[in-house]
Amino acid sequence: MSQLQSQTWHHAIAAQNLAELFQSRTDPSHVFAACDDGRVFTYGQFWTLAGRFASALKNTGAKPGDRIAVQVDKSIEALTLFWACVRGGFVFLPLNTAYTRWEVTYFLEDSGAKLFICTPARETEMGGLAQLLTLDDGGGGSLMAVDHPWTEDIQSDWDDLAAILYTSGTTGRSKGAMLTHGNLASNALALIDIWQFTPRDVLLHALPVHHTHGLFVGMNTIALSGGQLIFHRKFNADAVMKDLPRATCMMGVPTFYTRLLQHADVTRETTRHIRVFISGSAPLLAETHRAFEDKTGHAILERYGMTETNMIASNPFDGARRAGTVGFPLPHVSVRITDPATGASLPDGTDGMIEVKGPNLFQAYWNKPDKTAEDIRADGFFITGDLGRIDAEGYLIISGRAKDLIITGGFNVYPKEIEEVLDTLLGVTESAVIGLPHDDFGEAVTAVVATSQTLDEAKLIAALKTQLGAFKVPKRVLFVAELPRNAMGKVQKAELRRIHASLYRPV
């Protein structure tokens, strides 16, 4: 049993917040990130830049507890902004770069963000929404023009808020999951422990940094282990294969692995030095797991998490990594399966609602006490909305989703938001948005539109692109006279998924 498993997690360390933990576990002279634009940052340089940014944020009038919304392209500076917020006591609020002004307006208004940081290219588009600074992926922008020394970090506590990550629901608008210093630290330390990360590790990082996978799983795990990032601004199979010989590990969404399987240079020889390949953010198809192992000799380590919980479970580093499962709960994390109707615990082997409890669990939904009370039970367990079971050997198997969540290319998409936009378009009587199997993206966002007119698919898709992030826009729009309903009048999305299951994978 590890130290983290045998003790309450924060009793195993002397630090009182994330900033202290970072400094206690890193060597300022060690390289932290080697970027694909040729720039290299030591831990000391990275920490100094975080202090410079913290000072710049403070000089705008931001105070501890203020929300700092960030919608910028991936760069080492974008990553540094999170740690600047940690040092200054601010609350980091990352936003997908695909979000439109219409979407960003909601996040800024709901969070009450003090400051909004966007790219210089979008400064005019986003003007007037909030006090604004800019940052680009090469280290330029108005934020970089402010160069004041940082004197002393704010003395945050483990229960203080570090970030708000917005996650959508099947009804209503997005919800802000409030994540504390303790939530993020406990999860990173647990992952370092079970995945056996050390300062010798080099992580090839090609994930976005606006959601929990690239931002907290990837970055925090390597940073708090004292290792190094090979920092790619986006995933490109050729670039990944060029840099893979310098890496010891890689994290990715299933799409990364399906694309690597198609690359001629991926062989047992070219991957033999890799310590572990990790997959998450979407279900990894068992066939992808088997094909990758056949081609490389590596069994991909699949894990399970969500915005509100960080990571929940993981297949073992040492032990059988079973295709179609997400392994065992992390240290200090409890998982149970309950009856969705009654909340009663169910025995192993029985499908039911996955509920989770632990130091990884978010504090609450921002400004939504009713929703928080609905999703977190009185005994502290969070109702994930995912269905699954625990097998006879303790492996967690996710069997479905109680909610209509679509996971496409690692991004969460909630149909209700798209349907609300679709239903406003001329000629659309009603719409239903579903996810359909797709070899590359896992699931493809697909709209089924009821209409009495002849509509143009391309024009509908173009209209959606003006209001929705690109990853939310349906790849196809299908037209029907009416949507299938049950006796209660509810649209039968399961029937739509059945009818159109082979749309992207013709048999």
Side-chain angles (χ1 to χ4, degrees):
M1 181 175 288
S2 72
Q3 184 182 38
L4 287 177
Q5 288 171 308
S6 62
Q7 301 182 40
T8 302
W9 76 269
H10 58 79
H11 289 165
I13 55 178
Q16 297 300 311
N17 53 54
L18 276 168
E20 291 182 8
L21 187 63
F22 182 99
Q23 289 185 289
S24 71
R25 297 177 66 90
T26 58
D27 179 347
S29 66
H30 189 80
V31 172
F32 172 56
C35 305
D36 59 0
D37 61 4
R39 296 184 298 161
V40 176
F41 291 78
T42 65
Y43 274 93
Q45 291 168 330
F46 181 81
W47 199 242
T48 297
L49 183 59
R52 175 181 168 183
F53 282 175
S55 180
L57 298 177
K58 182 179 179 181
N59 285 343
T60 67
K63 297 179 174 57
D66 282 343
R67 279 72 62 205
I68 309 297
V70 176
Q71 188 192 39
V72 297
D73 295 324
K74 183 179 179 181
S75 68
I76 198 67
E77 287 81 8
L79 209 59
T80 310
L81 271 171
F82 167 70
W83 290 98
C85 289
V86 165
R87 299 192 71 178
F90 312 120
V91 180
F92 188 67
L93 198 166
L95 297 174
N96 192 320
T97 53
Y99 286 146
T100 65
R101 178 185 171 95
W102 180 77
E103 291 166 307
V104 168
T105 299
Y106 167 74
F107 296 122
L108 297 182
E109 291 178 350
D110 186 71
S111 67
K114 167 68 178 178
L115 186 67
F116 178 46
I117 304 172
C118 69
T119 62
R122 301 188 76 177
E123 184 175 8
T124 300
E125 175 193 356
M126 297 298 182
L129 294 182
Q131 186 177 357
L132 192 144
L133 289 174
T134 61
L135 178 69
D136 67 27
D137 63 356
S142 61
L143 178 66
M144 296 298 295
V146 182
D147 190 6
H148 299 284
W150 181 245
T151 54
E152 186 177 2
D153 291 347
I154 297 298
Q155 291 303 301
S156 301
D157 190 75
W158 291 124
D159 291 332
D160 288 333
L161 202 55
I164 295 177
L165 268 59
Y166 272 83
T167 180
S168 300
T170 54
T171 60
R173 299 298 297 271
S174 299
K175 309 179 296 293
M178 301 164 62
L179 300 167
T180 67
H181 285 246
N183 294 150
L184 301 179
S186 66
N187 212 237
L189 294 179
L191 295 176
I192 289 167
D193 182 36
I194 65 168
W195 291 343
Q196 301 181 22
F197 273 79
T198 75
R200 295 185 297 278
D201 272 305
V202 180
L203 174 68
L204 201 157
H205 191 301
L207 292 159
V209 293
H210 53 69
H211 65 56
T212 192
H213 192 170
L215 180 62
F216 295 141
V217 181
M219 187 265 288
N220 282 0
T221 299
I222 205 72
L224 297 181
S225 66
Q228 181 184 329
L229 295 172
I230 298 176
F231 200 71
H232 286 204
R233 282 170 287 188
K234 61 182 179 180
F235 178 83
N236 174 280
D238 289 333
V240 164
M241 289 310 301
K242 180 179 178 182
D243 277 347
L244 200 65
R246 298 192 288 134
T248 66
C249 46
M250 176 179 152
M251 296 181 190
V253 298
T255 302
F256 287 11
Y257 295 107
T258 61
R259 292 182 180 177
L260 287 177
L261 277 170
Q262 299 166 15
H263 200 285
D265 292 342
V266 176
T267 65
R268 288 177 179 251
E269 179 62 24
T270 59
T271 61
R272 64 182 175 82
H273 62 288
I274 296 295
R275 191 173 66 79
V276 62
F277 287 99
I278 299 169
S279 180
S281 291
L284 181 72
L285 296 177
E287 60 195 75
T288 303
H289 189 283
R290 287 190 288 268
F292 197 84
E293 186 168 12
D294 288 344
K295 190 169 186 179
T296 67
H298 288 277
I300 297 171
L301 190 156
E302 187 173 11
R303 71 350 173 243
Y304 166 54
M306 55 198 310
T307 302
E308 293 95 333
T309 62
N310 298 284
M311 295 305 100
I312 297 169
S314 171
N315 268 273
F317 181 81
D318 293 319
R321 301 173 192 170
R322 295 191 175 176
T325 81
V326 291
F328 308 102
L330 268 58
H332 299 297
V333 175
S334 299
V335 172
R336 70 186 182 191
I337 307 298
T338 63
D339 185 313
T342 67
S345 293
L346 296 174
D348 288 353
T350 306
D351 277 291
M353 182 69 68
I354 300 172
E355 298 187 8
V356 59
K357 180 180 181 180
N360 58 316
L361 185 61
F362 75 126
Q363 192 178 70
Y365 288 119
W366 178 261
N367 281 341
K368 288 181 171 54
D370 291 345
K371 185 59 179 172
T372 302
E374 179 184 337
D375 286 358
I376 300 180
R377 297 192 186 277
D379 63 359
F381 273 85
F382 172 65
I383 304 168
T384 65
D386 290 331
L387 301 175
R389 65 186 181 277
I390 297 173
D391 72 12
E393 295 184 292
Y395 285 78
L396 178 62
I397 299 168
I398 300 172
S399 54
R401 291 187 293 276
K403 302 172 184 177
D404 286 331
L405 172 68
I406 300 167
I407 303 180
T408 180
F411 294 116
N412 290 356
V413 175
Y414 289 83
K416 186 69 174 178
E417 183 180 8
I418 303 168
E419 289 163 359
E420 287 178 345
V421 177
L422 259 174
D423 292 348
T424 67
L425 301 181
L426 187 64
V428 175
T429 303
E430 187 181 17
S431 65
V433 173
I434 57 176
L436 295 177
H438 191 286
D439 286 338
D440 200 13
F441 294 96
E443 290 183 300
V445 180
T446 307
V448 183
V449 166
T451 180
S452 59
Q453 304 178 26
T454 300
L455 300 180
D456 186 291
E457 180 182 13
K459 288 182 179 178
L460 279 185
I461 290 174
L464 291 174
K465 286 180 178 179
T466 66
Q467 296 192 56
L468 298 170
F471 66 95
K472 299 178 186 177
V473 175
K475 296 195 176 303
R476 290 292 310 277
V477 177
L478 310 176
F479 300 102
V480 296
E482 58 183 18
L483 298 173
R485 298 180 182 276
N486 62 17
M488 300 298 292
K490 184 176 180 180
V491 174
Q492 294 182 292
K493 288 190 174 182
E495 179 67 5
L496 289 174
R497 287 190 286 266
R498 184 192 67 79
I499 294 170
H500 302 292
S502 63
L503 182 65
Y504 303 100
R505 305 175 74 179
V507 292

